[in-house]
Amino acid sequence: MSDVVEIVEVGARDGLQNEAAALDPATRLEFIGRLEAAGARRIEAVSFVNERRVPQMAGAEAIMAGLPPAPGRSRIGLVLNMRGWDRAVAANVDEANVVVCCSDEFGVRNQGATIAGQMQALAAICERRAREGGPPVSVTFSVAFGCPFEGEVPEARVAALAREAGALGVPEIALGDTIGVADPWTVRRRIEAVRSAAPDARLRMHFHDTRNTGLANCLASVEAGVRVLDASCGGLGGCPFAPGATGNIATEDLVYMLERAGFATGYSLRALVDAARWIGALIDKPPVSALSRAGPFPA
C-alpha cells in the first residue's frame, strides 16, 4: 500500500441522527461494536445535544459508559456549546467535535445561534480545555459549500472561520458539505483556501451524496493531499433541509474506491457490508450503498 487514508465512521451519530427510527442505546452500542469490528478506529459515537429535540441521540452517557476501553480507538462526541462540552468531559469521550455552521440562517435554525455565537462557544470551549484539561477538540464547519436558506456560501467566509479556529489552536478542521452541493473543482479551491488560512491544522472532509458527487469530491480531496475523510456505513443519514437527500458517503463504497487505488484504510469490506445490511434491517431502510447491492470485487 502506497498511502493511508483515515476514514472517520459517522454512521452511529450523523447517520442515525437523521433517520426516522430512534434506536435504544443498547442497539446503538451493538452497531458501534460492529463498526469497530469492521475496522473503525475513529468513530462518531454520540451527540451531546438536547434529547427532546433529537431523540435519536438520547442516552449518550449510557453509550459511552457501555463502551469498553480500547487502545488505539477514539470515540468522538459531538458538542454544540459549553453544556455539551461539560457532558462530553464527564462522559470521558476521546475527542469532542464542535460544529459551527457557515451561515447564520442555518445556525439559528439548527443550533439556535448565529455564526458569531457559535464561534464564541468554540473559543470558550478551547479556553476551558486549556485551563482545566479535557479531550482533544476538533471543529466541523457545516454547510461549508452551500446553505439551503442562504444559497452559495462564500469561500472567503469559510477561510475566515478556519483562520479563527486555527488561531484558537484547533488541531483538526473539517469542512462539511451538509446538503450535498459541492463539486470537485470547488472542493480543491476550498481546501487550498483553508490550508492558507490555517496551515497548522489537519484537514478532514465530510461529504453527503445528495447530488451524486460525493465520491468524486472524496477523490478530489485525496488528490489535494487530504488524508482524513468522514463516511457513514450503508450511506446512513442526510439533512432534513435538503430535499431528497440520500445521506452521507457510504463507508463501504469509499473503502472500495480507495483500496482499489492502493490506499490502506484498515477496514474490512465484507464486515462493513454486513453491518450496513444489519442496521438497514433494524430501521426498515435498505442501505443505499452500491457495495451493499453489488458486493466486493473480486467476489
Side-chain angles (χ1 to χ4, degrees):
M1 292 293 183
S2 60
D3 208 343
V4 175
V5 175
E6 180 181 56
I7 299 176
V8 179
E9 172 57 53
V10 302
R13 200 284 302 175
D14 194 31
L16 292 179
Q17 179 173 295
N18 286 294
E19 299 295 341
L23 302 178
D24 59 63
T27 304
R28 286 154 55 202
L29 270 169
E30 183 174 353
F31 186 35
I32 292 169
R34 287 172 180 257
L35 293 170
E36 291 189 335
R41 291 296 177 266
R42 290 179 73 193
I43 185 167
E44 278 196 347
V46 293
S47 180
F48 296 97
V49 294
N50 189 323
E51 296 180 358
R52 291 188 300 275
R53 295 189 62 185
V54 192
Q56 295 91 335
M57 291 291 102
E61 284 82 0
I63 288 174
M64 287 306 304
L67 287 171
R73 290 178 179 166
S74 183
R75 286 73 177 252
I76 304 169
L78 180 139
V79 304
L80 304 180
N81 48 38
M82 190 60 72
R83 167 63 177 153
W85 168 256
D86 288 340
R87 289 178 62 194
V89 172
N92 293 315
V93 299
D94 298 304
E95 299 179 52
N97 181 233
V98 182
V99 176
V100 173
C101 305
C102 289
S103 79
D104 283 329
E105 185 71 14
F106 199 87
V108 169
R109 294 201 189 201
N110 275 269
Q111 297 175 205
T114 63
I115 298 172
Q118 293 170 73
M119 289 302 291
Q120 288 171 3
L122 174 64
I125 288 169
C126 290
E127 189 277 333
R128 173 79 69 81
R129 179 181 181 273
R131 188 176 70 250
E132 300 178 2
V137 173
S138 62
V139 62
T140 294
F141 289 114
S142 67
V143 292
F145 295 88
C147 171
F149 310 113
E150 297 183 12
E152 299 285 353
V153 171
E155 181 177 289
R157 182 188 300 166
V158 178
L161 291 171
R163 184 175 298 108
E164 192 171 345
L168 291 170
V170 176
E172 183 178 81
I173 294 172
L175 301 184
D177 183 22
T178 311
I179 61 170
V181 296
D183 62 83
W185 297 272
T186 302
V187 166
R188 290 189 183 97
R189 290 194 300 269
R190 210 137 293 194
I191 288 171
E192 292 174 3
V194 170
R195 272 212 185 102
S196 296
D200 295 329
R202 179 170 62 168
L203 287 187
R204 175 164 54 91
M205 305 300 287
H206 177 106
F207 295 113
H208 287 233
D209 206 29
T210 311
R211 291 166 178 81
N212 203 34
T213 56
L215 285 178
N217 292 333
C218 287
L219 173 60
S221 301
V222 171
E223 288 181 336
V226 173
R227 291 296 181 268
V228 191
L229 300 168
D230 287 358
S232 174
C233 180
L236 287 172
C239 174
F241 298 115
T246 54
N248 296 271
I249 299 303
T251 311
E252 55 270 33
D253 291 351
L254 180 58
V255 167
Y256 177 79
M257 181 183 77
L258 291 172
E259 292 194 345
R260 291 284 290 183
F263 292 96
T265 67
Y267 280 84
S268 162
L269 269 179
R270 296 191 183 281
L272 280 171
V273 169
D274 288 345
R277 291 171 176 166
W278 177 82
I279 194 68
L282 283 181
I283 64 174
D284 195 26
K285 180 179 178 181
V288 299
S289 62
L291 264 291
S292 70
R293 298 190 302 271
F297 178 84

